[in-house]
Amino acid sequence: MPRSSKKKQKKAEDFKKVKLKVGKKKAPAANATDTSFTARAIVVGVQSISADKSAQLTNSHNHTLKELLAQMRHYSAPTRKDSVVGLGDFAALHPAALRAELGAVISATVRLVVDSEPGVRRQLLRLYGTVLPTLEPR
């Protein structure tokens, strides 16, 4: 008998009405969900699309040599391939600028010789076949 009376008391505590105090706010329900949120702004420095590149040397797709060399380290194979194509385009438009930055170009493209994607390697061979013969030996 005593056991059942304890269980009844515990059940009664669960359904007991909470008395409101004067001047106090109503307590939130035990199953209430907090729906408040905060928003933050994303600040993007300078986007490549909106930057004015009229004073810089660019290829036909408006990419500078620095951007093309950075894209050669991209994780996506099509992006790496496009950067090699863009570098060939840049070399055709500005051969003197390519000769001036030849060390950086060679160090960036050497990594792509052993690239896992055959399309990137094929495009790199085309680039070397067109650019390297145009360079005069020192």
Side-chain angles (χ1 to χ4, degrees):
M1 257 322 189
R3 239 181 194 188
S4 64
S5 65
K6 281 186 181 180
K7 285 184 180 178
K8 285 182 182 178
Q9 281 180 350
K10 286 184 180 180
K11 286 182 182 178
E13 286 176 8
D14 288 338
F15 297 104
K16 191 176 181 183
K17 183 179 178 186
V18 178
K19 293 186 178 180
L20 299 175
K21 310 265 180 172
V22 177
K24 297 284 184 177
K25 289 185 177 180
K26 185 178 176 184
N31 61 351
T33 304
D34 181 25
T35 58
S36 63
F37 64 91
T38 58
R40 296 196 178 191
I42 298 174
V43 179
V44 178
V46 177
Q47 289 186 341
S48 175
I49 299 168
S50 63
D52 181 30
K53 299 178 187 174
S54 60
Q56 299 175 353
L57 299 176
T58 59
N59 67 353
S60 60
H61 291 285
N62 204 25
H63 292 298
T64 63
L65 182 62
K66 184 179 177 183
E67 290 171 351
L68 292 170
L69 296 178
Q71 284 179 352
M72 289 187 184
R73 293 186 303 269
H74 199 270
Y75 63 89
S76 172
T79 303
R80 291 192 305 268
K81 183 179 174 184
D82 290 342
S83 69
V84 174
V85 172
L87 189 60
D89 185 28
F90 186 87
L93 294 173
H94 311 288
L98 188 72
R99 281 188 212 105
E101 296 291 329
L102 191 60
V105 170
I106 294 296
S107 66
T109 56
V110 162
R111 287 183 225 141
L112 299 179
V113 171
V114 291
D115 196 89
S116 61
E117 291 294 320
V120 176
R121 294 192 307 266
R122 198 173 305 119
Q123 198 62 44
L124 185 65
L125 286 175
R126 284 189 193 131
L127 174 73
Y128 282 161
T130 57
V131 172
L132 293 180
T134 63
L135 300 173
E136 64 264 355
R138 290 187 182 188

Short mmCIF file of all heavy atoms in Angstrom, two decimals, residues 38-102:
data_model
loop_
_atom_site.label_atom_id
_atom_site.label_comp_id
_atom_site.label_asym_id
_atom_site.label_seq_id
_atom_site.Cartn_x
_atom_site.Cartn_y
_atom_site.Cartn_z
N THR A 38 19.89 35.46 -34.40
CA THR A 38 20.66 36.65 -34.74
C THR A 38 21.20 36.47 -36.15
O THR A 38 21.53 35.36 -36.57
CB THR A 38 21.85 36.86 -33.78
OG1 THR A 38 22.67 35.70 -33.82
CG2 THR A 38 21.36 37.10 -32.36
N ALA A 39 21.28 37.55 -36.86
CA ALA A 39 21.79 37.52 -38.24
C ALA A 39 23.09 38.30 -38.31
O ALA A 39 23.25 39.31 -37.62
CB ALA A 39 20.77 38.12 -39.19
N ARG A 40 23.99 37.80 -39.11
CA ARG A 40 25.26 38.49 -39.30
C ARG A 40 25.49 38.71 -40.79
O ARG A 40 25.04 37.93 -41.61
CB ARG A 40 26.41 37.67 -38.75
CG ARG A 40 26.30 37.50 -37.25
CD ARG A 40 27.58 37.05 -36.67
NE ARG A 40 27.42 36.96 -35.23
CZ ARG A 40 28.41 36.80 -34.41
NH1 ARG A 40 29.63 36.68 -34.87
NH2 ARG A 40 28.21 36.74 -33.13
N ALA A 41 26.20 39.75 -41.09
CA ALA A 41 26.48 40.08 -42.49
C ALA A 41 27.79 39.43 -42.90
O ALA A 41 28.73 39.32 -42.11
CB ALA A 41 26.57 41.59 -42.66
N ILE A 42 27.86 39.02 -44.14
CA ILE A 42 29.09 38.48 -44.71
C ILE A 42 29.75 39.62 -45.47
O ILE A 42 29.15 40.22 -46.35
CB ILE A 42 28.80 37.31 -45.66
CG1 ILE A 42 28.15 36.17 -44.89
CG2 ILE A 42 30.07 36.85 -46.34
CD1 ILE A 42 27.70 35.04 -45.78
N VAL A 43 30.99 39.90 -45.10
CA VAL A 43 31.71 40.98 -45.74
C VAL A 43 32.72 40.38 -46.70
O VAL A 43 33.62 39.64 -46.30
CB VAL A 43 32.42 41.85 -44.68
CG1 VAL A 43 33.21 42.96 -45.36
CG2 VAL A 43 31.42 42.43 -43.71
N VAL A 44 32.55 40.66 -47.98
CA VAL A 44 33.46 40.18 -49.00
C VAL A 44 34.35 41.35 -49.39
O VAL A 44 33.85 42.43 -49.71
CB VAL A 44 32.68 39.65 -50.23
CG1 VAL A 44 33.62 39.19 -51.31
CG2 VAL A 44 31.75 38.55 -49.80
N GLY A 45 35.64 41.12 -49.36
CA GLY A 45 36.57 42.20 -49.67
C GLY A 45 36.39 42.73 -51.07
O GLY A 45 35.46 43.47 -51.37
N VAL A 46 37.24 42.34 -51.95
CA VAL A 46 37.15 42.77 -53.34
C VAL A 46 36.85 41.56 -54.19
O VAL A 46 37.59 40.57 -54.16
CB VAL A 46 38.48 43.42 -53.79
CG1 VAL A 46 38.41 43.81 -55.24
CG2 VAL A 46 38.79 44.62 -52.93
N GLN A 47 35.79 41.62 -54.92
CA GLN A 47 35.46 40.51 -55.80
C GLN A 47 36.16 40.71 -57.14
O GLN A 47 36.30 41.82 -57.62
CB GLN A 47 33.96 40.42 -56.01
CG GLN A 47 33.23 39.95 -54.79
CD GLN A 47 31.76 39.73 -55.08
OE1 GLN A 47 31.24 40.25 -56.04
NE2 GLN A 47 31.11 38.97 -54.22
N SER A 48 36.57 39.62 -57.71
CA SER A 48 37.31 39.65 -58.96
C SER A 48 36.45 40.22 -60.10
O SER A 48 36.96 40.89 -60.99
CB SER A 48 37.77 38.25 -59.33
OG SER A 48 38.37 38.24 -60.58
N ILE A 49 35.17 39.98 -60.04
CA ILE A 49 34.29 40.42 -61.12
C ILE A 49 34.14 41.95 -61.13
O ILE A 49 34.17 42.59 -62.17
CB ILE A 49 32.90 39.77 -60.98
CG1 ILE A 49 33.04 38.26 -61.07
CG2 ILE A 49 31.93 40.27 -62.01
CD1 ILE A 49 31.80 37.50 -60.67
N SER A 50 33.99 42.53 -59.95
CA SER A 50 33.72 43.95 -59.87
C SER A 50 34.98 44.81 -59.86
O SER A 50 34.89 46.03 -59.97
CB SER A 50 32.90 44.26 -58.61
OG SER A 50 33.66 43.93 -57.46
N ALA A 51 36.15 44.21 -59.72
CA ALA A 51 37.38 45.00 -59.67
C ALA A 51 37.72 45.56 -61.05
O ALA A 51 37.52 44.91 -62.07
CB ALA A 51 38.54 44.13 -59.17
N ASP A 52 38.25 46.78 -61.05
CA ASP A 52 38.63 47.43 -62.30
C ASP A 52 40.03 46.96 -62.67
O ASP A 52 41.00 47.24 -61.97
CB ASP A 52 38.59 48.95 -62.14
CG ASP A 52 38.94 49.66 -63.42
OD1 ASP A 52 38.67 49.10 -64.51
OD2 ASP A 52 39.49 50.78 -63.34
N LYS A 53 40.15 46.25 -63.78
CA LYS A 53 41.43 45.71 -64.21
C LYS A 53 41.93 46.39 -65.47
O LYS A 53 42.73 45.81 -66.20
CB LYS A 53 41.29 44.21 -64.45
CG LYS A 53 40.90 43.44 -63.22
CD LYS A 53 40.73 41.98 -63.56
CE LYS A 53 40.18 41.22 -62.40
NZ LYS A 53 39.87 39.84 -62.74
N SER A 54 41.47 47.58 -65.74
CA SER A 54 41.85 48.24 -66.97
C SER A 54 43.34 48.58 -66.99
O SER A 54 43.94 48.65 -68.07
CB SER A 54 41.01 49.50 -67.17
OG SER A 54 41.21 50.40 -66.10
N ALA A 55 43.95 48.79 -65.83
CA ALA A 55 45.37 49.14 -65.79
C ALA A 55 46.25 47.89 -65.77
O ALA A 55 47.46 48.00 -65.92
CB ALA A 55 45.66 49.98 -64.55
N GLN A 56 45.66 46.71 -65.60
CA GLN A 56 46.44 45.48 -65.51
C GLN A 56 46.35 44.70 -66.83
O GLN A 56 45.42 44.87 -67.59
CB GLN A 56 45.92 44.61 -64.37
CG GLN A 56 46.03 45.27 -63.02
CD GLN A 56 45.40 44.40 -61.93
OE1 GLN A 56 44.77 43.40 -62.22
NE2 GLN A 56 45.57 44.82 -60.69
N LEU A 57 47.33 43.85 -67.03
CA LEU A 57 47.32 42.99 -68.20
C LEU A 57 46.43 41.77 -67.92
O LEU A 57 46.61 41.09 -66.91
CB LEU A 57 48.74 42.52 -68.53
CG LEU A 57 49.75 43.62 -68.84
CD1 LEU A 57 51.13 43.03 -69.05
CD2 LEU A 57 49.31 44.39 -70.06
N THR A 58 45.47 41.54 -68.81
CA THR A 58 44.54 40.44 -68.62
C THR A 58 44.42 39.63 -69.91
O THR A 58 44.80 40.09 -70.98
CB THR A 58 43.13 40.95 -68.24
OG1 THR A 58 42.65 41.80 -69.27
CG2 THR A 58 43.15 41.70 -66.92
N ASN A 59 43.85 38.42 -69.77
CA ASN A 59 43.57 37.63 -70.96
C ASN A 59 42.19 37.98 -71.48
O ASN A 59 41.56 38.92 -71.01
CB ASN A 59 43.73 36.13 -70.67
CG ASN A 59 42.68 35.61 -69.71
OD1 ASN A 59 41.90 36.36 -69.15
ND2 ASN A 59 42.67 34.32 -69.51
N SER A 60 41.68 37.23 -72.43
CA SER A 60 40.39 37.57 -73.04
C SER A 60 39.22 37.37 -72.07
O SER A 60 38.16 37.93 -72.29
CB SER A 60 40.16 36.74 -74.30
OG SER A 60 40.17 35.37 -73.98
N HIS A 61 39.42 36.60 -71.03
CA HIS A 61 38.37 36.39 -70.03
C HIS A 61 38.53 37.32 -68.82
O HIS A 61 37.93 37.09 -67.77
CB HIS A 61 38.36 34.94 -69.55
CG HIS A 61 37.91 33.98 -70.60
ND1 HIS A 61 36.60 33.86 -70.97
CD2 HIS A 61 38.61 33.13 -71.38
CE1 HIS A 61 36.50 32.94 -71.92
NE2 HIS A 61 37.71 32.49 -72.20
N ASN A 62 39.38 38.33 -68.95
CA ASN A 62 39.59 39.35 -67.92
C ASN A 62 40.20 38.77 -66.65
O ASN A 62 39.87 39.19 -65.54
CB ASN A 62 38.28 40.10 -67.61
CG ASN A 62 38.53 41.47 -67.04
OD1 ASN A 62 39.58 42.08 -67.28
ND2 ASN A 62 37.58 41.97 -66.26
N HIS A 63 41.11 37.79 -66.79
CA HIS A 63 41.84 37.24 -65.66
C HIS A 63 43.29 37.72 -65.74
O HIS A 63 43.91 37.66 -66.80
CB HIS A 63 41.83 35.72 -65.66
CG HIS A 63 40.48 35.13 -65.41
ND1 HIS A 63 39.78 35.33 -64.25
CD2 HIS A 63 39.69 34.34 -66.17
CE1 HIS A 63 38.63 34.69 -64.31
NE2 HIS A 63 38.54 34.10 -65.48
N THR A 64 43.83 38.15 -64.61
CA THR A 64 45.22 38.56 -64.58
C THR A 64 46.11 37.33 -64.44
O THR A 64 45.64 36.23 -64.15
CB THR A 64 45.49 39.51 -63.40
OG1 THR A 64 45.25 38.80 -62.17
CG2 THR A 64 44.62 40.75 -63.47
N LEU A 65 47.41 37.53 -64.63
CA LEU A 65 48.35 36.43 -64.52
C LEU A 65 48.35 35.87 -63.10
O LEU A 65 48.40 34.66 -62.90
CB LEU A 65 49.76 36.91 -64.92
CG LEU A 65 50.85 35.85 -64.90
CD1 LEU A 65 50.53 34.74 -65.89
CD2 LEU A 65 52.20 36.46 -65.20
N LYS A 66 48.26 36.74 -62.13
CA LYS A 66 48.24 36.31 -60.72
C LYS A 66 47.02 35.42 -60.44
O LYS A 66 47.12 34.39 -59.76
CB LYS A 66 48.21 37.54 -59.81
CG LYS A 66 48.29 37.23 -58.35
CD LYS A 66 48.30 38.51 -57.54
CE LYS A 66 48.31 38.20 -56.06
NZ LYS A 66 48.25 39.42 -55.24
N GLU A 67 45.87 35.79 -60.98
CA GLU A 67 44.66 34.98 -60.78
C GLU A 67 44.78 33.63 -61.47
O GLU A 67 44.37 32.60 -60.92
CB GLU A 67 43.44 35.72 -61.33
CG GLU A 67 43.04 36.93 -60.53
CD GLU A 67 41.98 37.76 -61.22
OE1 GLU A 67 41.67 37.48 -62.40
OE2 GLU A 67 41.45 38.67 -60.58
N LEU A 68 45.35 33.62 -62.66
CA LEU A 68 45.52 32.36 -63.39
C LEU A 68 46.46 31.42 -62.66
O LEU A 68 46.20 30.21 -62.56
CB LEU A 68 46.04 32.63 -64.80
CG LEU A 68 45.06 33.35 -65.74
CD1 LEU A 68 45.77 33.78 -67.01
CD2 LEU A 68 43.88 32.47 -66.05
N LEU A 69 47.54 31.96 -62.10
CA LEU A 69 48.48 31.12 -61.36
C LEU A 69 47.85 30.60 -60.07
O LEU A 69 48.12 29.47 -59.65
CB LEU A 69 49.76 31.89 -61.06
CG LEU A 69 50.58 32.31 -62.28
CD1 LEU A 69 51.81 33.10 -61.86
CD2 LEU A 69 50.97 31.12 -63.12
N ALA A 70 46.99 31.39 -59.46
CA ALA A 70 46.30 30.94 -58.25
C ALA A 70 45.28 29.84 -58.57
O ALA A 70 45.10 28.90 -57.78
CB ALA A 70 45.61 32.12 -57.58
N GLN A 71 44.64 29.94 -59.72
CA GLN A 71 43.65 28.92 -60.10
C GLN A 71 44.29 27.58 -60.42
O GLN A 71 43.61 26.55 -60.41
CB GLN A 71 42.84 29.40 -61.30
CG GLN A 71 41.82 30.44 -60.96
CD GLN A 71 41.05 30.90 -62.18
OE1 GLN A 71 41.39 30.55 -63.31
NE2 GLN A 71 40.02 31.70 -61.95
N MET A 72 45.59 27.57 -60.69
CA MET A 72 46.26 26.30 -60.96
C MET A 72 46.38 25.43 -59.72
O MET A 72 46.64 24.24 -59.83
CB MET A 72 47.64 26.56 -61.56
CG MET A 72 47.55 27.09 -62.96
SD MET A 72 49.15 27.19 -63.70
CE MET A 72 48.72 27.93 -65.24
N ARG A 73 46.18 26.01 -58.55
CA ARG A 73 46.19 25.24 -57.30
C ARG A 73 44.78 24.90 -56.83
O ARG A 73 44.59 24.43 -55.72
CB ARG A 73 46.91 26.05 -56.21
CG ARG A 73 48.38 26.26 -56.46
CD ARG A 73 49.05 26.93 -55.29
NE ARG A 73 48.47 28.22 -54.95
CZ ARG A 73 48.85 29.40 -55.43
NH1 ARG A 73 49.82 29.45 -56.30
NH2 ARG A 73 48.26 30.51 -55.05
N HIS A 74 43.78 25.15 -57.66
CA HIS A 74 42.38 24.91 -57.29
C HIS A 74 42.12 23.42 -57.18
O HIS A 74 42.75 22.60 -57.85
CB HIS A 74 41.46 25.54 -58.35
CG HIS A 74 40.07 25.75 -57.88
ND1 HIS A 74 39.10 24.80 -58.02
CD2 HIS A 74 39.49 26.81 -57.26
CE1 HIS A 74 37.97 25.26 -57.51
NE2 HIS A 74 38.18 26.48 -57.05
N TYR A 75 41.17 23.04 -56.32
CA TYR A 75 40.87 21.62 -56.12
C TYR A 75 40.09 21.01 -57.27
O TYR A 75 40.11 19.80 -57.47
CB TYR A 75 40.08 21.42 -54.82
CG TYR A 75 38.73 22.09 -54.80
CD1 TYR A 75 37.60 21.43 -55.26
CD2 TYR A 75 38.59 23.38 -54.33
CE1 TYR A 75 36.37 22.04 -55.26
CE2 TYR A 75 37.36 23.99 -54.32
CZ TYR A 75 36.25 23.33 -54.78
OH TYR A 75 35.03 23.94 -54.77
N SER A 76 39.43 21.83 -58.07
CA SER A 76 38.61 21.33 -59.17
C SER A 76 39.44 21.22 -60.45
O SER A 76 40.10 22.17 -60.87
CB SER A 76 37.44 22.29 -59.39
OG SER A 76 36.73 21.94 -60.54
N ALA A 77 39.39 20.05 -61.06
CA ALA A 77 40.16 19.81 -62.29
C ALA A 77 39.74 20.71 -63.45
O ALA A 77 40.61 21.24 -64.16
CB ALA A 77 40.07 18.34 -62.69
N PRO A 78 38.44 20.93 -63.69
CA PRO A 78 38.08 21.85 -64.78
C PRO A 78 38.59 23.28 -64.57
O PRO A 78 38.96 23.96 -65.52
CB PRO A 78 36.55 21.82 -64.79
CG PRO A 78 36.19 20.50 -64.19
CD PRO A 78 37.26 20.23 -63.18
N THR A 79 38.65 23.70 -63.32
CA THR A 79 39.18 25.04 -63.04
C THR A 79 40.67 25.09 -63.33
O THR A 79 41.17 26.07 -63.90
CB THR A 79 38.92 25.42 -61.57
OG1 THR A 79 37.52 25.34 -61.31
CG2 THR A 79 39.41 26.82 -61.26
N ARG A 80 41.40 24.05 -62.96
CA ARG A 80 42.83 24.00 -63.28
C ARG A 80 43.05 23.98 -64.79
O ARG A 80 43.93 24.67 -65.31
CB ARG A 80 43.47 22.77 -62.64
CG ARG A 80 43.55 22.83 -61.13
CD ARG A 80 44.45 21.74 -60.57
NE ARG A 80 44.07 20.40 -60.97
CZ ARG A 80 43.26 19.58 -60.32
NH1 ARG A 80 42.69 20.00 -59.21
NH2 ARG A 80 43.00 18.37 -60.77
N LYS A 81 42.21 23.23 -65.49
CA LYS A 81 42.33 23.16 -66.95
C LYS A 81 42.04 24.53 -67.57
O LYS A 81 42.76 24.97 -68.47
CB LYS A 81 41.36 22.12 -67.48
CG LYS A 81 41.44 21.91 -68.96
CD LYS A 81 40.47 20.85 -69.41
CE LYS A 81 40.44 20.74 -70.91
NZ LYS A 81 39.44 19.78 -71.36
N ASP A 82 41.00 25.20 -67.09
CA ASP A 82 40.68 26.53 -67.61
C ASP A 82 41.79 27.54 -67.33
O ASP A 82 42.02 28.45 -68.12
CB ASP A 82 39.37 27.03 -67.00
CG ASP A 82 38.16 26.26 -67.51
OD1 ASP A 82 38.29 25.59 -68.55
OD2 ASP A 82 37.10 26.32 -66.85
N SER A 83 42.47 27.38 -66.20
CA SER A 83 43.57 28.29 -65.91
C SER A 83 44.74 28.08 -66.87
O SER A 83 45.40 29.03 -67.27
CB SER A 83 44.03 28.15 -64.46
OG SER A 83 44.67 26.91 -64.26
N VAL A 84 44.98 26.83 -67.26
CA VAL A 84 46.04 26.56 -68.24
C VAL A 84 45.66 27.13 -69.61
O VAL A 84 46.49 27.74 -70.29
CB VAL A 84 46.32 25.04 -68.33
CG1 VAL A 84 47.31 24.74 -69.43
CG2 VAL A 84 46.84 24.52 -67.01
N VAL A 85 44.39 26.97 -69.99
CA VAL A 85 43.92 27.56 -71.25
C VAL A 85 44.03 29.08 -71.19
O VAL A 85 44.48 29.73 -72.15
CB VAL A 85 42.46 27.13 -71.52
CG1 VAL A 85 41.88 27.88 -72.70
CG2 VAL A 85 42.38 25.64 -71.76
N GLY A 86 43.65 29.66 -70.06
CA GLY A 86 43.75 31.11 -69.89
C GLY A 86 45.18 31.60 -69.93
O GLY A 86 45.47 32.69 -70.43
N LEU A 87 46.10 30.79 -69.41
CA LEU A 87 47.51 31.16 -69.45
C LEU A 87 48.03 31.15 -70.89
O LEU A 87 48.82 32.02 -71.28
CB LEU A 87 48.33 30.20 -68.59
CG LEU A 87 49.78 30.58 -68.36
CD1 LEU A 87 49.88 31.93 -67.68
CD2 LEU A 87 50.48 29.53 -67.54
N GLY A 88 47.57 30.22 -71.68
CA GLY A 88 47.94 30.21 -73.10
C GLY A 88 47.40 31.44 -73.82
O GLY A 88 48.08 32.03 -74.66
N ASP A 89 46.20 31.81 -73.48
CA ASP A 89 45.59 33.01 -74.05
C ASP A 89 46.37 34.26 -73.61
O ASP A 89 46.64 35.16 -74.42
CB ASP A 89 44.13 33.11 -73.60
CG ASP A 89 43.39 34.25 -74.23
OD1 ASP A 89 43.75 34.66 -75.35
OD2 ASP A 89 42.44 34.76 -73.59
N PHE A 90 46.75 34.27 -72.34
CA PHE A 90 47.53 35.40 -71.81
C PHE A 90 48.88 35.48 -72.52
O PHE A 90 49.36 36.57 -72.85
CB PHE A 90 47.73 35.23 -70.30
CG PHE A 90 48.39 36.40 -69.63
CD1 PHE A 90 47.63 37.47 -69.18
CD2 PHE A 90 49.76 36.44 -69.46
CE1 PHE A 90 48.23 38.55 -68.56
CE2 PHE A 90 50.38 37.52 -68.85
CZ PHE A 90 49.61 38.58 -68.39
N ALA A 91 49.49 34.33 -72.76
CA ALA A 91 50.80 34.30 -73.44
C ALA A 91 50.69 34.81 -74.87
O ALA A 91 51.60 35.47 -75.37
CB ALA A 91 51.36 32.88 -73.42
N ALA A 92 49.57 34.52 -75.52
CA ALA A 92 49.39 35.00 -76.90
C ALA A 92 49.18 36.51 -76.93
O ALA A 92 49.65 37.19 -77.85
CB ALA A 92 48.20 34.29 -77.53
N LEU A 93 48.48 37.04 -75.92
CA LEU A 93 48.21 38.48 -75.89
C LEU A 93 49.37 39.31 -75.36
O LEU A 93 49.62 40.43 -75.83
CB LEU A 93 46.96 38.75 -75.04
CG LEU A 93 45.64 38.21 -75.58
CD1 LEU A 93 44.53 38.41 -74.55
CD2 LEU A 93 45.29 38.90 -76.88
N HIS A 94 50.08 38.79 -74.34
CA HIS A 94 51.14 39.55 -73.68
C HIS A 94 52.40 38.69 -73.51
O HIS A 94 52.73 38.28 -72.39
CB HIS A 94 50.68 40.03 -72.30
CG HIS A 94 49.34 40.68 -72.30
ND1 HIS A 94 49.13 41.94 -72.82
CD2 HIS A 94 48.12 40.25 -71.86
CE1 HIS A 94 47.85 42.25 -72.68
NE2 HIS A 94 47.22 41.24 -72.11
N PRO A 95 53.12 38.41 -74.58
CA PRO A 95 54.30 37.55 -74.46
C PRO A 95 55.42 38.17 -73.62
O PRO A 95 56.14 37.45 -72.92
CB PRO A 95 54.74 37.32 -75.90
CG PRO A 95 54.08 38.38 -76.70
CD PRO A 95 52.86 38.80 -75.96
N ALA A 96 55.56 39.48 -73.65
CA ALA A 96 56.63 40.12 -72.87
C ALA A 96 56.36 40.00 -71.38
O ALA A 96 57.28 39.77 -70.58
CB ALA A 96 56.75 41.59 -73.27
N ALA A 97 55.11 40.13 -70.98
CA ALA A 97 54.75 40.00 -69.56
C ALA A 97 54.96 38.57 -69.09
O ALA A 97 55.37 38.34 -67.96
CB ALA A 97 53.31 40.42 -69.34
N LEU A 98 54.70 37.61 -69.96
CA LEU A 98 54.92 36.21 -69.60
C LEU A 98 56.41 35.93 -69.41
O LEU A 98 56.79 35.22 -68.49
CB LEU A 98 54.34 35.30 -70.67
CG LEU A 98 54.34 33.83 -70.31
CD1 LEU A 98 53.28 33.56 -69.24
CD2 LEU A 98 54.09 32.97 -71.51
N ARG A 99 57.25 36.51 -70.29
CA ARG A 99 58.69 36.33 -70.13
C ARG A 99 59.19 36.94 -68.84
O ARG A 99 60.09 36.39 -68.20
CB ARG A 99 59.44 36.96 -71.31
CG ARG A 99 59.42 36.11 -72.54
CD ARG A 99 60.33 36.66 -73.64
NE ARG A 99 59.74 36.33 -74.92
CZ ARG A 99 59.12 37.18 -75.71
NH1 ARG A 99 59.01 38.44 -75.36
NH2 ARG A 99 58.60 36.78 -76.84
N ALA A 100 58.60 38.06 -68.43
CA ALA A 100 59.03 38.72 -67.19
C ALA A 100 58.69 37.87 -65.97
O ALA A 100 59.42 37.87 -64.98
CB ALA A 100 58.38 40.09 -67.09
N GLU A 101 57.60 37.14 -66.02
CA GLU A 101 57.15 36.32 -64.89
C GLU A 101 57.35 34.83 -65.16
O GLU A 101 56.62 33.99 -64.62
CB GLU A 101 55.66 36.59 -64.62
CG GLU A 101 55.35 38.00 -64.19
CD GLU A 101 55.89 38.32 -62.81
OE1 GLU A 101 55.96 37.41 -61.97
OE2 GLU A 101 56.25 39.48 -62.58
N LEU A 102 58.32 34.49 -65.98
CA LEU A 102 58.50 33.12 -66.40
C LEU A 102 58.80 32.17 -65.24
O LEU A 102 58.31 31.04 -65.21
CB LEU A 102 59.62 33.03 -67.45
CG LEU A 102 59.74 31.71 -68.18
CD1 LEU A 102 58.45 31.40 -68.92
CD2 LEU A 102 60.91 31.74 -69.14
#
